[in-house]
Each structure stands twice: as C-alpha cells, then as structure tokens.
Amino acid sequence: MTKPPAPGTFSPADGRSLEPVASTPVTELEALVERARDAQIRWAKRTLAERVEALERVVARMLDRADEILAILGEETGKSRTDALLNELSGLGPYLPVAAAEARAALKPVKVKLSPLDYPGKKIVTEAVPRGVVGIIAPWNYALGNFYKPIFPALLAGNAVILKPSEYTPRTGAWVAAQFEAELPAGLVSVAQGGGDVGAALIEVVDALTFTGSVPTGRKVAVRAAERFIPCSVELGGKDAAIVLADCNLDRTVAGVAQWGLHNCGQNCAAIERVYVEGVIADEFVRRLGAVADALHVSPDGPHADIGPLQSHAQLAIVERHVADALKKGATLVAGGERTGSGLGYRPTVLDHCTPEMLVMTEETFGPVIAVQRVAEPEEAVALANASPYGLNGSVWTTNIDRGTELARRLDVGVAYVNNHSFGGALANVPWTGVKETGTGVAASRWSYHTFTRPRTLFVDTNKNPDPWWFPMNEELAQMGELLLERARGSKAALLKLPPLLGKRVKAIQKLARGD
Ligand code: NAD
C-alpha cells in the first residue's frame, strides 16, 4: 500500500499535490507570544466600541476577499464554492454584531450591592479582565467557520490571539490570520502552523486556550492546561442521535435528517450519526432516506455537488472500517457504501437494522454515513440515545411539540432540538457546548467568557473610620458579637443597641493605632 501524502499537501477533491506550508518552529512561539503581549496591552486599553469598529473592518475585508478564501477552501477541503459560501463564509457578516452584543453583556462591570450598616463606606465592583494571550487550536472540518466562535469573543474581551490551524488546512488558517493582521495592531493576531507538536508547544506559552478537535487530543490538551492552571475550553467529538417519532412530518424529517447527517460529508461534530426511528414508520422512513442519499451528488460530480469528499485517507479508512463492521454484524445497506470520484469522495450512505454492538452506533464515524436503528417506542430511543460516551447535539422529530420538547430535555447533550439539528453552531449568542466526552467547553455567547476573561473584584473603602471589628478585642466587641448573633436570629431590637457600641469601638481602635 502506498503511503498517504503528508497532511495539507494534496487536494482531497482530486488528489492533486499542493505546495507544503512550512511549520512554525516551536522555538519561535515565545517570540510570537511576546509580540502578542505588547499588542494586547494597548488593545485592552481601547474601549469595546473601538474594538468592535476595528473588527468590523476585518470582517469587511474578509467579505471583500470572498473569492480568495472560497478558492482556498475548495483546494484544501474539496468543498464546492456554494457549500463553502453557505456553510463557512456567509454567516460571518451577521456574526460580529451579535457577538458584540454578547461582549457588552459579558464585559459590563457589576456594582455589588452592600449593606451600609455592615459595610460602611465600601464599594465593590467586579470587572472582566482579559486573560492576555489566547491560543486557539482548531480542527480542519470547518477550516474557516470554526475560528469565529473563539476569535471574536477573545478579541472583543481585549486579548491577543495565536491561531493554530489544523495541519490539513494551513492555508485557510494563514488567510484568516492575514486578514486580522492587516487591520489590527501588529502582533495582536498571529498564526502558528504545524501539527500536534506545535499545538502542544503552544499550550506551554499562552494564558488561555480554546481547543476544538478529537476526544483523545482534547484530553491531553485539557490535562496539560490544568497542570499549567490556565483556563481551557475543549469542544470535542460527538455521536449525535436523532429520534424520529411515528407522528413526525415525514417529508420534512427525511430531508432534515439527510441534511444534518450528510452535510459537510458528515464531517461535522454535530452530524446526525445515529437515528432511532419508531418501528411503525421505519420502512417508509428508511426507503425515503435512502432515496435522498442516492440522489445527492458528491464533489466534483457537477457544479452543484451536495457534498465534498472526505478530508484525509485516515478519515476514509475510518468510514470504510465502520461500514464494513456494520454490514458484518447484520446491518442492511440502503444506499452508498462505496468510494466515488478521483479524490476521497464517498457516496452518501444509509444503513438500516443497526444495533448497539456496531461501531457506527458507538464510535464517531465523521463521514457521510447515517445508521438507523428501529425502536418500539420513544422511551427506548431516549435510553439508546443517552447510552453514548458523547453528548453534543441531539434531536427529536415529531409534530407533537410539547412531547418533543419534553423528550429533547431528557437527552444528555449540550444542544437539544425539536425538528432540527446542528443549527446552533452558527449563532454568536447561543452557547455551543456538550457533556461527557464531548468535553466541558462552552463556545460562543456570553457563557464562553470564562475562558477569555477572569473576574477582578475591586474593593474601594471610603470610610474615614476604622472598621469596628478590627483589633483590639474588648468587652464592646464581645457585646457586638452577641448583638449580631441576635440580629441573625431575627431580633430587630438588637440593631438599635449597636450604634453606641460602634462609637466606642472606633475610639478603642484609634487609641491602639496611635500607640497610646
Ligand atoms: P484532532 O484532535 O486530530 O486535531 C485538532 C487540532 O489539535 C489540530 O490543529 C491538531 O494539529 C492539534 N493537535 C494534535 N495533537 C495535539 C496536541 N498533543 N496538543 C495540542 N494540539 C494538538 O482533531 P481533527 O481530526 O482535526 O478534528 C476532528 C475532530 O474535531 C472530530 O472529533 C470532531 O467531532 C471534532 N470537532 C468538534 C467540534 C465541537 O464543537 N465540539 C467542532 C469541530 C470538530
């Protein structure tokens, strides 16, 4: 067997060679961080409105250069222009204003309410302080779109950023960094190219980290970040389930399940990989789903190919192993199940009569494969859906919205849907998150700001007198303690006895401080 080409050196659409992109020597990361720190200090002094304005220029620049990035995405991932445009670029324009509104909410200082009796003259405000330099380690599957969720909040919060794109899609990462570099202060955004060694080295030098990728890598990353005590948001793999109830709108459900099972060639962390369908509609559901899969075009099959190829030989090998395992264990091939085209294309695949022993029902396939298991009733479907180590998205398809909502709430996932799936990832004001091995990360929305900012409690005391509970201990302080206990038990009278004691306490403290 010939050795597959090195990551990032060929186009998965047709296998043609691409000029390699040089890795960043790990010894240069310190220098990138130093430049980033210098720029960050000044960036953090800008108002949020000024930061938004600068980022608006970046977004405008990116949209003006749409042709450049769509060509790069086509070359590196094999996606068609329309696919890349719709699923990676077109969401960018509306993203920033919504992300900016979330930033205003997340970054707003909070004045803490204090009782003037217990805390005389004191003011406390909690402020969100940028972490400093944020590392963003990204996967290849949405080589452009995956950057939006971390990069906008990180910069809006006043941080500098170092991007580490996947070694499979280095040109997209370089292009993104170049657009930010062109409009923002030098060094504020930069790119570190390379594979796992560069990613691992980046963890050593940044102040905070977002990681999007596989579970095994995410676990290593989270451990090292924990050892360094730096905040780290990990967004990992999935094995999403869709539950299709007998009362669903079959036309819409078939189209929706096909969409979110096969979109991006199934290389979507929140792809529908498992379907649990009620037995009474299973034959018709599977027949129609198979027909949709058969009708889809795989890039480069025509100018409007529905899906692109798999990204890598390794990914293709996983898909083929999972399909073979399912067929060996008794699944029925309804559609697909074979390679197509001159690159890494694989036909949209539907497998029926799947069971929990099959890899397609347990491990992340990350390919254009929808595995269907027939169930007797919804409770069985919920139990099966939840019997997974992953927990990213999950959906229930039904015309009974109340029942669907109740079942959706019972799915062990970060994003639960009724009659849709995989939708929330494009929204800047919605937390994109998971449970279990999908990781603890929260991407997008004000909920993600824990990674990008730390809280600072600023306490200002304008009281001219010393606090009455300071040294020395004396009889008045003992009485104060007893009165405070009475007050805690609900006595209002105790409050009235406090003022004369307070005066005596202040005098005693001042006497001690004067050294009398
Ligand atoms: P991966 O884990 O192989 O690589 C992800 C990134 O980590 C790459 O940039 C890689 O170079 C880097 N890396 C590798 N080893 C590293 C190390 N030891 N330390 C630091 N960085 C290291 O994942 P992938 O194959 O690029 O992406 C596919 C996976 O990403 C799938 O499992 C998919 O479900 C997941 N994903 C999750 C989400 C989400 O939001 N939950 C979104 C997209 C993709």
Side-chain angles (χ1 to χ4, degrees):
M1 220 174 82
T2 51
K3 210 170 153 234
T9 62
F10 75 105
S11 176
D14 53 15
R16 110 191 102 100
S17 296
L18 302 177
E19 195 64 34
V21 171
S23 290
T24 307
V26 293
T27 49
E28 284 180 16
L29 292 180
E30 291 272 12
L32 279 188
V33 170
E34 257 173 53
R35 279 184 79 215
R37 280 199 198 296
D38 279 355
Q40 188 268 331
I41 291 165
R42 276 168 282 127
W43 178 246
K45 285 187 182 144
R46 293 198 192 179
T47 64
L48 178 57
E50 288 167 340
R51 287 180 221 149
V52 172
E53 216 177 279
L55 291 173
E56 279 168 355
R57 289 199 301 276
V58 176
V59 169
R61 185 186 167 88
M62 289 170 85
L63 294 173
D64 282 349
R65 287 163 177 72
D67 286 342
E68 279 173 26
I69 187 59
L70 293 174
I72 294 172
L73 283 167
E75 187 176 62
E76 285 196 326
T77 71
K79 286 179 201 189
S80 71
R81 181 185 164 93
T82 308
D83 189 352
L85 181 57
L86 278 176
N87 298 308
E88 302 235 34
L89 190 63
S90 65
L92 176 60
Y95 200 87
L96 179 59
V98 181
E102 287 301 282
R104 279 188 280 280
L107 300 175
K108 197 170 173 206
V110 177
K111 280 188 192 154
V112 177
K113 226 172 154 56
L114 295 168
S115 143
L117 181 68
D118 293 304
Y119 304 101
K122 290 154 188 49
K123 291 180 183 147
I124 293 182
V125 63
T126 55
E127 301 167 335
V129 181
R131 296 278 184 185
V133 181
V134 177
I136 297 179
I137 301 180
W140 44 262
N141 62 331
Y142 295 95
L144 172 66
N146 269 331
F147 283 121
Y148 302 161
K149 287 197 284 273
I151 199 169
F152 286 112
L155 290 169
L156 287 166
N159 296 287
V161 157
I162 298 179
L163 305 178
K164 211 303 274 168
S166 166
E167 57 274 40
Y168 285 95
T169 50
R171 295 161 197 84
T172 303
W175 184 87
V176 172
Q179 307 319 307
F180 282 82
E181 279 167 354
E183 297 292 344
L184 301 182
L188 191 70
V189 174
S190 54
V191 63
Q193 296 285 14
D197 56 332
V198 177
L202 188 62
I203 307 172
E204 302 301 322
V205 289
V206 292
D207 306 312
L209 191 70
T210 70
F211 173 86
T212 314
S214 63
V215 173
T217 314
R219 182 171 281 121
K220 280 192 244 168
V221 167
V223 165
R224 185 57 198 136
E227 282 171 350
R228 283 206 59 226
F229 297 120
I230 60 168
C232 170
S233 172
V234 292
E235 288 288 324
L236 310 178
K239 187 77 197 169
D240 285 8
I243 295 176
V244 176
L245 301 188
D247 69 354
C248 72
N249 171 340
L250 202 53
D251 286 352
R252 190 173 183 282
T253 302
V254 167
V257 169
Q259 171 66 31
W260 292 121
L262 302 170
H263 161 80
N264 210 37
C265 194
Q267 299 169 123
N268 173 8
C269 52
I272 296 176
E273 298 209 354
R274 301 176 287 155
V275 177
Y276 299 104
V277 58
E278 278 198 89
V280 285
I281 60 159
D283 284 345
E284 184 59 7
F285 172 78
V286 168
R287 187 190 67 74
R288 292 198 198 188
L289 192 62
V292 173
D294 277 337
L296 297 184
H297 295 275
V298 182
S299 172
D301 175 13
H304 299 299
D306 296 284
I307 64 172
L310 289 157
Q311 176 70 43
S312 65
H313 294 80
Q315 208 46 59
L316 178 61
I318 295 171
V319 170
E320 291 189 327
R321 184 163 60 85
H322 283 199
V323 172
D325 171 81
L327 295 176
K328 197 170 116 209
K329 290 176 180 160
T332 317
L333 186 66
V334 182
E338 60 185 9
R339 297 184 189 190
T340 178
S342 55
L344 301 180
Y346 194 86
R347 289 233 36 93
T349 299
V350 176
L351 295 165
D352 192 10
H353 300 292
C354 294
T355 57
E357 300 74 43
M358 298 173 183
L359 294 173
V360 281
M361 299 307 271
T362 51
E363 291 186 8
E364 187 177 40
T365 307
F366 224 55
V369 180
I370 303 177
V372 180
Q373 177 168 352
R374 295 162 179 238
V375 294
E377 38 83 38
E379 291 302 320
E380 185 190 356
V382 171
L384 285 163
N386 287 341
S388 166
Y390 298 101
L392 188 52
N393 285 196
S395 56
V396 180
W397 300 74
T398 173
T399 48
N400 183 338
I401 301 299
D402 287 347
R403 174 95 172 106
T405 306
E406 189 258 324
L407 291 172
R409 283 208 173 100
R410 286 169 51 202
L411 295 175
D412 293 341
V413 294
V415 188
Y417 307 78
V418 179
N419 295 326
N420 220 315
H421 202 103
S422 196
F423 198 79
L427 302 171
N429 51 357
V430 167
W432 182 256
T433 183
V435 296
K436 299 191 269 187
E437 300 224 332
T438 295
T440 52
V442 180
S445 86
R446 65 194 72 180
W447 294 72
S448 70
Y449 272 74
H450 165 72
T451 308
F452 305 117
T453 61
R454 64 179 174 83
R456 173 172 56 210
T457 301
L458 184 63
F459 187 120
V460 176
D461 200 333
T462 60
N463 192 1
K464 291 195 184 68
N465 289 325
D467 289 332
W469 51 85
W470 290 356
F471 294 135
M473 290 279 185
N474 64 11
E475 185 46 35
E476 282 81 23
L477 188 58
Q479 286 175 29
M480 244 180 77
E482 297 306 323
L483 287 173
L484 289 174
L485 178 62
E486 278 180 44
R487 184 187 73 165
R489 288 172 175 153
S491 160
K492 296 232 168 53
L495 275 180
L496 301 173
K497 295 184 196 158
L498 275 172
L501 283 179
L502 294 179
K504 287 183 185 164
R505 281 295 302 155
V506 168
K507 280 193 185 127
I509 296 162
Q510 286 169 338
K511 185 163 179 269
L512 177 71
R514 281 195 303 267
D516 292 353

